[in-house]
Amino acid sequence: MKTATTFSVVQLGKYPATRPLGQEGRARLDDLLEGQPHVDLTIDFTGVEVMNISFADEFLAKFLTSHDFATAGATVRVTGLNADNRYSVLVCVERRKTAVAVLEEDGTLALLGDDPILAATFEAAKELGEFKAGDLGARLDLSSQNANNRLKRLASAGALRKGQVSGSARGGKEFVYNIVGGTSSEPRTLSTV
């Protein structure tokens, strides 16, 4: 069973600006994931006026790089980013060589990071919805191995969900991927003040 959970960052303040506060927030996020597989986590920055890069790095970028979301069957996306906060997140994910899915105001998903190949892969994945590596390979004219390598990075970052197909006719492990839609039904908002 999948659980949709929203973490509201404004509970840490309208102007989060320190690494210790980022550590505290990251610990709360870690607690959310502990023992809960298949979480669709939305990190909501609505109400956060401005955060500095130090906070964003300690809170979000370290959180993203300290988990393999594919193994946990979890997805992560951020929302509610104003222009200043979007820039802080972008700097952090670029420095840490990771990516994060962003739920835009219009309900669409985008990938934030500095890897144009990964961004193009994410866009193709959005068009496919639910798919296997071979489907993505055919769409982008890639070998299955190359498609698998790209999908592994997106799933590890929590940008899409990876699930094993039971009873694969091909004899090995076969996986299906999907992107969590722009809106989730009845998300549970967590406030851990």
Side-chain angles (χ1 to χ4, degrees):
M1 185 172 108
K2 296 174 183 83
T3 305
T5 301
T6 299
F7 181 89
S8 180
V9 181
V10 76
Q11 65 184 293
L12 300 171
K14 288 185 174 187
Y15 306 96
T18 65
R19 284 198 178 269
L21 187 58
Q23 289 172 337
E24 177 187 330
R26 190 176 75 245
R28 292 181 189 185
L29 289 175
D30 289 338
D31 289 345
L32 265 178
L33 294 183
E34 191 172 324
Q36 289 195 44
H38 309 295
V39 171
D40 292 331
L41 176 61
T42 300
I43 302 171
D44 188 357
F45 287 90
T46 302
V48 175
E49 298 294 326
V50 67
M51 64 180 166
N52 68 11
I53 292 171
S54 294
F55 170 82
D57 180 62
E58 195 69 40
F59 171 67
L60 183 63
K62 282 189 176 181
F63 174 72
L64 293 171
T65 58
S66 67
H67 293 278
D68 179 358
F69 296 105
T71 302
T75 61
V76 177
R77 62 186 175 186
V78 298
T79 192
L81 293 173
N82 62 29
D84 290 332
N85 293 338
R86 185 183 190 94
Y87 176 76
S88 294
V89 170
L90 177 62
V91 167
C92 295
V93 296
E94 285 179 349
R95 286 180 182 171
R96 298 243 176 217
K97 298 187 186 319
T98 190
V100 66
V102 177
L103 179 60
E104 305 288 5
E105 283 185 31
D106 64 2
T108 61
L109 286 171
L111 191 71
L112 202 56
D114 73 342
D115 187 334
I117 292 172
L118 212 54
T121 304
F122 186 73
E123 289 302 313
K126 286 187 342 187
E127 291 170 11
L128 291 169
E130 185 170 287
F131 58 93
K132 296 177 184 171
D135 301 327
L136 181 74
R139 170 68 61 101
L140 296 175
D141 196 27
L142 302 171
S143 68
S144 291
Q145 183 61 44
N146 195 345
N148 273 322
N149 290 339
R150 292 181 186 193
L151 290 169
K152 181 179 179 182
R153 291 180 59 203
L154 286 170
S156 292
L160 52 88
R161 176 170 281 110
K162 174 182 174 181
Q164 188 168 351
V165 176
S166 57
S168 174
R170 299 178 61 168
K173 289 184 180 179
E174 191 173 15
F175 297 96
V176 65
Y177 298 87
N178 62 52
I179 293 195
V180 177
T183 59
S184 54
S185 59
E186 300 180 33
R188 177 174 55 117
T189 302
L190 181 76
S191 180
T192 56
V193 179

